[in-house]
Amino acid sequence: MSGTSKPDLEQVKRTSARDGPERRQNLVRILFVHRSLEVVERCLYELKRVRFTVSSEVVVTPEQFVERLRSQPFDLIVAEYPSTNWRDTMVLELLRQMRKDIPVIFLVAGMKRETAAGFILKGAADCIEVDSIGHLPVAVHRALNEKGVRDQRDRAEKDLRRSEARYRALAGNLSYGICRCSLDGGFLEVNEAMIRMLGYGSREELLAQDLARDIIQDPDRRAQLLGQKREGGLVHPTEIEWKRKDHAILRVRLSGQEVLSEQGELEAYEVIAEDVTRQRELEDHLRRLAASDSLTGLANYRRLVDVLDSEIKRSQRTNRGFAMLFFDLDGLKRINDRHGHMTGSQALCRLADVLCSCCRDIDTPARFGGDEFALVLPETNAEAANLVARRICESVANEGNGPRISVSVGIAVYPQDGETIESLLSQADAALYAMKQQRFPPAESMQTAAGQ
């Protein structure tokens, strides 16, 4: 931290209260679970510095935590770890018990990478070192964005609940496609919105298609379309892909109802079709942003943890292992000092490009953080992993698009080197450190550390 004076906690609260209406519209309500008001003040200072408007409360014990959550709404929780009042991820457990979806960021001290990975797997939004509180605003922004995506998805699912009144209201709405289908799924009638949605020139053209036939003729899919509960209980919305006349693919969300004759016999089905293609594209884009490193475009730390978790589960099913390579860019600080931070950032991107060029489509290159990178290699043994590591080291050394760079590498293979994410990360980190010690003996290592 710099020597700039920081406001006390009450001053920050008073300043936030005096902000104009436009600032209050972006208010973030944070519940701090922390014993140190000094640390809370530093958090508020960093958030205020990047123009967050914050309303905050501070609790210490689990009882205070539960009481405050029951009486007030919060957008985010920032919790201390370790704490004498709490065991591990007890904050997350209490939130699940209370059925509250609130992002949790842990303020930690000297936490090992494998422990942080375990916290994220259990539902934490992020783990920030107390000595790096300056990173808190970025973590808060990302956590709130991800929560926004989840809320948007939940709202969309609730909107799918049908009723006859909703159908009749939509029938005259040109934003939704409406069709009537025969008992075998053939189109009997369509509205103008359906014709435009699918790009046909006339009603007659579209009536000749059989886009709903597969759904209507399949009992399970038809029951889902009609919102009828099966043995599983909850009914999930029906989404399918339909092809327009110009062969473009639409993602369509469907809901339907039965049409009965005057005698009460089933004679047709009426279906509402909503084009959700752009909505799904936006959600995919937001998910990619949340899982990507902003500088290199590689998978970020959280995405890496998810991939490792998926690979472990896949390996347990197939009995085929995988490997993880752990890289460290040598001398990044020296490059920054001699050539500037822009060149240092370019060096990180150069390494990222090499990782992408040296891996398969099924592999996952990721930026672990700072100058550390990882590469997950599915269905790869130790011998093959060593070949990939050597090829990457040689490619980096001969890359030649700026100041010369090199990497150190550690390898861990599942399940020989560990059966959990934590143990794999620990083994790869230890192997990398051993390589560093071998390449840079103690005396030279001190000089290298000073240069870095």
Side-chain angles (χ1 to χ4, degrees):
M1 295 293 293
S2 66
T4 306
S5 62
K6 298 187 284 291
D8 61 36
L9 184 60
E10 291 303 316
Q11 180 182 348
V12 172
K13 290 182 178 178
R14 289 195 300 271
T15 304
S16 297
R18 290 196 299 268
D19 286 332
E22 69 280 3
R23 293 287 303 278
R24 288 196 293 272
Q25 289 176 358
N26 298 317
L27 180 69
V28 180
R29 298 162 296 188
I30 301 179
L31 178 60
F32 287 92
V33 184
H34 212 291
R35 293 168 297 171
S36 170
L37 286 181
E38 180 181 357
V39 173
V40 174
E41 290 171 10
R42 289 169 57 198
C43 293
L44 292 171
Y45 172 77
E46 291 296 332
L47 293 168
K48 181 76 173 180
R49 187 170 59 84
V50 295
R51 300 187 181 279
F52 270 96
T53 304
V54 180
S55 169
S56 64
E57 295 285 342
V58 181
V59 296
V60 176
T61 67
E63 293 77 12
Q64 293 172 341
F65 178 79
V66 171
E67 186 277 330
R68 206 61 54 89
L69 283 178
R70 285 174 175 167
S71 61
Q72 299 180 42
F74 292 95
D75 304 305
L76 187 76
I77 294 169
V78 178
E80 174 189 25
Y81 179 85
S83 172
T84 55
N85 298 318
W86 300 77
R87 53 175 173 78
D88 293 340
T89 55
M90 186 178 177
V91 168
L92 298 174
E93 296 168 10
L94 288 175
L95 285 174
R96 278 192 289 271
Q97 292 172 12
M98 299 177 72
R99 299 182 181 276
K100 289 188 178 291
D101 181 16
I102 304 175
V104 178
I105 295 175
F106 283 97
L107 289 181
V108 302
M111 176 180 278
K112 294 181 179 179
R113 297 187 185 94
E114 50 268 33
T115 304
F119 273 43
I120 289 174
L121 279 176
K122 291 179 181 178
D126 214 334
C127 296
I128 303 294
E129 287 287 337
V130 174
D131 292 337
S132 302
I133 282 183
H135 296 163
L136 180 63
V138 174
V140 170
H141 187 268
R142 182 170 58 230
L144 294 177
N145 278 351
E146 292 175 357
K147 176 65 164 54
V149 171
R150 292 197 302 272
D151 289 345
Q152 185 180 30
R153 184 179 62 242
D154 292 343
R155 285 194 298 270
E157 291 176 356
K158 290 179 180 178
D159 290 340
L160 282 174
R161 298 185 179 182
R162 313 164 296 104
S163 67
E164 183 177 354
R166 174 176 178 268
Y167 172 79
R168 297 192 184 284
L170 289 174
N173 190 327
L174 296 182
S175 299
Y176 292 84
I178 310 292
C179 64
R180 177 172 291 197
C181 301
S182 63
L183 298 183
D184 65 356
F187 282 154
L188 299 174
E189 185 58 71
V190 294
N191 72 344
E192 288 295 328
M194 179 79 83
I195 298 170
R196 281 204 313 275
M197 181 188 298
L198 293 169
Y200 285 88
S202 68
R203 179 176 281 100
E204 289 69 29
E205 273 190 293
L206 183 52
L207 289 175
Q209 307 303 312
D210 58 355
L211 297 177
R213 196 176 300 274
D214 289 343
I215 293 179
I216 298 299
Q217 292 185 356
D218 185 300
D220 290 332
R221 298 178 72 188
R222 182 174 66 246
Q224 184 178 3
L225 172 72
L226 299 175
Q228 298 170 349
K229 290 188 177 182
R230 309 292 282 181
E231 293 182 2
L234 294 177
V235 179
H236 298 287
T238 298
E239 284 194 15
I240 63 171
E241 290 184 348
W242 274 356
K243 187 178 292 185
R244 286 169 46 92
K245 183 180 179 180
D246 60 7
H247 302 293
I249 300 298
L250 293 182
R251 189 72 184 174
V252 183
R253 182 165 56 200
L254 303 176
S255 57
Q257 66 177 11
E258 296 177 338
V259 178
L260 304 179
S261 67
E262 293 182 359
Q263 292 75 32
E265 296 179 351
L266 177 63
E267 65 177 18
Y269 300 100
E270 288 178 336
V271 178
I272 302 170
E274 180 183 1
D275 181 1
V276 294
T277 307
R278 290 187 179 179
Q279 179 181 337
R280 295 295 171 261
E281 289 174 349
L282 175 60
E283 290 173 356
D284 289 343
H285 176 67
L286 291 175
R287 276 192 290 268
R288 285 194 297 271
L289 287 179
S292 300
D293 174 60
S294 59
L295 175 64
T296 64
L298 300 183
N300 61 14
Y301 176 75
R302 297 193 64 197
R303 172 61 180 156
L304 174 64
V305 170
D306 290 339
V307 170
L308 289 172
D309 184 51
S310 297
E311 279 302 307
I312 288 175
K313 292 175 181 175
R314 182 196 59 77
S315 296
Q316 290 170 344
R317 292 194 308 270
T318 64
N319 202 29
R320 293 198 294 268
F322 68 94
M324 184 184 72
L325 308 184
F326 200 27
F327 296 93
D328 182 85
L329 181 61
D330 301 323
L332 177 61
K333 187 174 187 304
R334 185 172 62 250
I335 294 174
N336 286 333
D337 292 342
R338 292 182 180 178
H339 304 280
H341 285 270
M342 181 65 73
T343 302
S345 296
Q346 290 171 352
L348 294 171
C349 293
R350 289 160 59 194
L351 173 54
D353 290 342
V354 170
L355 292 179
C356 291
S357 65
C358 291
C359 69
R360 305 163 296 179
D361 290 341
I362 62 173
D363 302 333
T364 302
R367 186 182 179 196
F368 197 87
D371 54 2
E372 296 174 330
F373 292 75
L375 178 61
V376 180
L377 304 170
E379 301 190 5
T380 303
N381 58 26
E383 182 180 357
N386 274 286
L387 289 175
V388 174
R390 283 199 295 271
R391 184 166 70 247
I392 290 174
C393 290
E394 292 170 0
S395 298
V396 169
N398 299 320
E399 190 265 346
N401 288 324
R404 185 178 177 83
I405 58 176
S406 64
V407 292
S408 300
V409 59
I411 300 173
V413 179
Y414 179 90
Q416 298 94 306
D417 295 326
E419 297 185 354
T420 65
I421 293 177
E422 294 84 353
S423 57
L424 287 172
L425 290 172
S426 179
Q427 175 62 28
D429 195 35
L432 184 147
Y433 179 75
M435 181 178 181
K436 282 273 192 186
Q437 291 291 95
Q438 185 178 7
R439 295 178 61 206
F440 305 107
E444 182 182 346
S445 179
M446 293 179 63
Q447 296 173 2
T448 302
Q452 290 181 355

